[in-house]
Amino acid sequence: MLTRVLVANRGEIARRVFRSCHDLGLATVAVYSDPDAGSPHVAEADAAIRLPGSAAADTYLRADLLIQAALRAGADAVHPGYGFLSENAAFASAVQAAGLTWVGPPPEAIAAMGSKIESKRLMAAAGVPVLTALDPAAITEADLPVLIKASAGGGGRGMRIVRALADLPEALAAAGSEAASAFGDAAVFCEPYVQPGRHLEVQVLADAAGTVWTVGERECSIQRRHQKIIEEAPSPLAERIAGLRERLLQAARLAVTAIGYRNAGTVEFLADDSGRFWFLEMNTRLQVEHPVTECTTGLDLVALQLQIAAGRALAAAPPPVTGHAIEARLYAEDPVAGWQPQSGTLRAFGFAGHPVEFATGAAPGLELGPGAPPVLRLDSGVIAGSQVSVFYDPMLAKVIAWAPDREQAAAVLSRALQTARIHGLTTNRDLLVRVLRHPAFLAGQTDTAFFETHGLDVLAAPLAGPEAVSLSALAAALADAAGRQQRARVLGGLPSGWRNVPSQLQRTRYDGHDVGYRLSRAGLEVEGRDDVRLLAMNPARVVLDVAGVRRSFEVAEYPGLVCVDSALGPVTLIPAARFTDPAAQVAAGSLLAPMPGTVVRLAAAVGDQVRAGQPLLYLEAMKMEHAISAPAAGVLAELPVAAGQQVEVGSVLAVVKAEEGSQ
């Protein structure tokens, strides 16, 4: 019987496990690194133990510290969450050796599936379709394109697509380096790259009595950098192709049986558009996207994990799948800037409609079935005021919508994301909304090349167009004027800039936007247009009549930042600096660090002739490796950093002296 569970993880997944533990009457223990001291998961646990340090290698990847924490807190079980040590067989064995219950599969099953190379051999022997592994040294032009994958990997780390034979050596080195950093194992392998491919997976559960559940399938084909960002259940491809679902479930059952699996897991497959599929890997843990299965079945997968670990048996069969659920991963990242992760303070974070946090289908008051209203679920590791650090994955939340049909689920989810108040950090919100509303997505035409097919620049374009930005800047200027009016000690009752006779326009400048307006007895006058009337204004809200249409703008001002939310789309404005700081100027051709991170390796030397787009060095931040490339052809004049060096955002990483006439 379990009584107290330590979650050897952080953020969203720690909060998710705590929710089920508390529902089952179990006490909880959190662990936290120094950057996570103020994290919501720490406050929500019954007890919390500090792991000194910041980097994952010093904290959440220290098996010895985690086990010591569990014993000190009186825990009798350890739930690993996902990521970090969740698929580490040695950690699972150490937990059991310490007399604790491991909430997961047997260490032998983890080890069997931990190597993608070995797991494919086992699956082939069990009769599960697999792609043939390729020897990197023997790859020819006829084998291209190929996909390099980390043998111990996951989450897209250590993966590279190679389309030209000349690129293979560098790609192998980069993949191995990233794999070693992320998993402590540099082993990689190659396989044919299936394009266009569909990423399908089956949720499985198995108990000690031999009962195996295959709980429907999910599709996770919308990906960036080989990492899923939109997942759904059931799969549109399995809905379209007769018999595909049954074949997927049977293959997953064969995989589970072949390794004597127990607890929750996911068997992943790569399929083509005709319905042929091949085994990719088995994740011997809870998946990030497990909520879509919970929403379509009414199950609490974490509660089932805990009950199986405690020796309880599953029922004879799982419940049926009902309706459709879609999950979007909201990241603090900039898609148009190479998916650069963002760090800093999350100033505001809220969703309209009061989404239910961590709600499974079994949550009180929820009805999931034919004729039921849509449900919005939020699984988040952050709240307003949270600090998003550079040390961990930049996922802020998973937003999930369930509805009786797929089209309605997509509509509910896209509106929830569009109307959310997310201030302080650049996110992928606009991209997610555009994907969910794209005709190809709504038609179920989702493959892993979705961004390449439909254009990342188009999909990642801001929801707010030029007109929306212009009106939002005007609203921000008026809100600022209202704030100054309220703060004024003299003549505070008069509108800011009010004159008895016409005078020059008031001007408020933001980076890229110059707003000119006048408030007088005649009302609001806006430079360059005569179709705008002011209906109401205060420091937080401005209401305008625009060509006969009433528009409301919610305005929030922070140090060096103004955020405006309206039905036209969210807009972020940066107040223009009144004076230029000479110290902030850098030499022409300087490449600045886009984020804090660690220089993992150099790819060029001072004096080298470089071409535009050529990688000069690689920066690791937020668990991903980012290439810093030459902006133009020229000579690498300066390289003031070294491998292993920590750099801050804005640091000069390199200086390229461009050739005359190069762009």
Side-chain angles (χ1 to χ4, degrees), residues 360-380:
T360 66
L366 281 188
E367 179 186 354
L368 304 177
V375 173
L376 187 67
R377 168 175 166 171
L378 178 66
D379 286 22
S380 173

Side-chain angles (χ1 to χ4, degrees), residues 397-611:
K398 303 177 311 196
V399 190
I400 308 101
W402 176 92
D405 61 71
R406 184 173 185 268
E407 185 175 341
Q408 189 176 16
V412 169
L413 182 55
S414 64
R415 177 166 173 76
L417 289 165
Q418 179 181 353
T419 58
R421 294 182 77 247
I422 307 169
H423 299 168
L425 295 172
T426 299
T427 72
N428 66 338
R429 178 249 301 274
D430 293 5
L431 171 74
L432 295 172
V433 172
R434 289 194 181 278
V435 171
L436 290 165
R437 293 175 177 172
H438 197 281
F441 179 86
L442 294 174
Q445 298 167 4
T446 55
D447 59 50
T448 54
F450 193 89
F451 293 148
E452 291 80 359
T453 301
H454 301 289
L456 178 61
D457 55 341
V458 175
L459 293 168
L463 293 172
E467 170 74 351
V469 174
S470 176
L471 291 171
S472 296
L474 172 61
L478 293 171
D480 179 60
R484 286 186 278 110
Q485 174 187 337
Q486 285 188 1
R487 295 189 298 269
R489 295 185 178 182
V490 180
L491 300 178
L494 291 177
S496 174
W498 188 88
R499 296 291 186 274
N500 193 41
V501 293
S503 180
Q504 65 181 356
L505 296 175
Q506 290 278 95
R507 292 211 169 270
T508 304
R509 293 180 172 85
Y510 304 99
D511 285 357
H513 305 284
D514 186 350
V515 181
Y517 68 94
R518 179 187 293 118
L519 291 167
S520 67
R521 289 177 176 177
L524 173 66
E525 178 186 342
V526 181
E527 185 177 40
R529 58 192 308 164
D530 58 6
D531 61 343
V532 179
R533 291 192 305 118
L534 176 63
L535 301 181
M537 61 182 276
N538 63 50
R541 186 169 183 264
V542 173
V543 183
L544 302 174
D545 180 303
V546 183
V549 180
R550 183 185 176 105
R551 301 283 188 188
S552 296
F553 300 84
E554 305 296 326
V555 182
E557 184 176 351
Y558 309 100
L561 183 72
V562 180
C563 298
V564 185
D565 293 293
S566 76
L568 298 173
V571 173
T572 298
L573 301 165
I574 308 296
R578 296 182 62 190
F579 305 103
T580 301
D581 181 3
Q585 298 180 357
V586 296
S590 296
L591 295 176
L592 307 182
M595 68 208 83
T598 303
V599 177
V600 290
R601 66 183 187 281
L602 305 178
V606 172
D608 284 357
Q609 192 78 26
V610 297
R611 64 182 186 279

